[in-house]
Amino acid sequence: MKIKAEDPNSFERFSAEHTICFTKANGDWLFPALYDFYSEEVKNPIVVGLLQELGMLFHHESMKEPFAEITALDRSLCLDESNVYEYIVKQQKLASDDIKNVEYLRTPYKTKSEVLPFRHISPIDHDGLIIEYGGVAHPYILADIAGVLIYSQKIKDSFDYLRRSINLLTEFPNKYWNSELAITGAANTFRWLRLMCQEDINLSRKIFKYNYLYLSRMACITRDDLLEQSAYVNRAALVKMPFAYTFLPFLGQNPDTLYISDLYYAHFCNQTAMEMSVITNSKYYQQSLTYYQNASLWPNDTGGYADIEEDTYLQLVERKHKNAIMNAYEYWKEFNRGEDVLTESDIDRIFMRIEQEFSNNYKRFCDNILNLNK
């Protein structure tokens, strides 16, 4: 209101040009768009001062909660990502209404199979998207283009986009930390890299930490129900990878109990997640409870963690949910101190190993990243 009163004409022009920023879904873009508009175009020092005051209010508000660096969104540091939104809308419009399926994904159940649906974009249309947006330095767009190329069996073409994305995300602090779309892109980037680069234990440890941190951030700040569910599903898969127990901070953590908690939250984190878990027969809650009762996804006579842990199932789930945030916070502190970060030479080595594995063990490489039986 103060800004509008100070410069009503400019505010009216801004409102007409940035209507999307005034929607509930995209309200995080309002502050950065206002700041750029008044500092770069209008150059009104009084309004810029008001915006700096507003930014400090946003910042202090975001820092009130424990582990706020992981759990809270600082709206003074959000990005105007309207160009990313335009990319998403154009991609959705180009996608066909016909859904084709890739069948026989591996599941934890020997007698079960899952079907992964894809909406297809013609190669010509997708090439046009790449020409228009492939040069944009944003983790969401870069990881998304890489993902489409991978699922289109143009795997080698994806490497450059993943490399450009990871180069934006390794240093802390970075400007993408308070961007929901960028954090989503970061989680996807490090997921692909984790699946592609598994042979070097030192690189795997570093990729694990980044992936865990960005997935935790995504679970905390996203307002998209299915993205929140996806964050928990992928973090559960992450802690079940080999040697995960050696990568976690704080000695003595059991990845199985973190897995149990994340699968529980994958089902119960929000109403949409619960409904989708039932509709898609994902069995996240069943897997979580079965693992608690049997220390396995298959029933047995061991008594599982129900006999080992003093906590009840729900107490264990809640305690490990808090531990997961503490783990992410510990990684965040490490990276901000410059410890165990991915260096430029690390990134060179990652892609050297990826290209070698792709060339020398193509079938195994594809099996690792696509998780398909055929």
Side-chain angles (χ1 to χ4, degrees), residues 30 34 40 63 88 97 101 115 118 143 171 184 213 228 233 261-262 264 267 290 307 318 323 359:
L30 180 59
L34 273 171
E40 300 296 329
M63 290 293 106
I88 294 169
D97 291 331
N101 297 320
V115 176
F118 287 98
E171 290 188 3
T184 304
L213 176 58
E228 183 181 10
V233 171
S261 177
D262 279 345
Y264 175 90
H267 183 94
T290 301
D307 286 351
E318 186 58 29
N323 286 161
S359 300

Side-chain angles (χ1 to χ4, degrees), residues 74-135:
D74 187 342
R75 294 180 64 191
S76 71
L77 297 174
C78 291
L79 301 176
D80 179 1
E81 296 178 302
S82 50
N83 62 331
V84 185
Y85 180 78
E86 289 169 2
Y87 165 81
I88 294 169
V89 170
K90 286 185 180 181
Q91 186 192 65
Q92 289 174 343
K93 286 181 178 178
L94 291 172
S96 68
D97 291 331
D98 296 330
I99 292 181
K100 300 180 181 179
N101 297 320
V102 177
E103 299 182 2
Y104 303 111
L105 285 110
R106 297 180 189 137
T107 76
Y109 301 99
K110 294 179 181 178
T111 59
K112 299 283 187 180
S113 63
E114 293 179 2
V115 176
L116 184 63
F118 287 98
R119 294 176 67 200
H120 285 246
I121 301 174
S122 76
I124 293 175
D125 286 337
H126 193 253
D127 286 347
L129 266 183
I130 291 178
I131 290 170
E132 186 173 0
Y133 291 98

Side-chain angles (χ1 to χ4, degrees), residues 147-166:
V148 174
L149 292 169
I150 289 166
Y151 283 122
S152 302
Q153 306 294 314
K154 298 177 182 178
I155 297 172
K156 192 167 186 178
D157 293 345
S158 72
F159 297 163
D160 179 60
Y161 294 96
L162 292 173
R163 183 170 192 138
R164 287 168 55 202
S165 182
I166 194 177

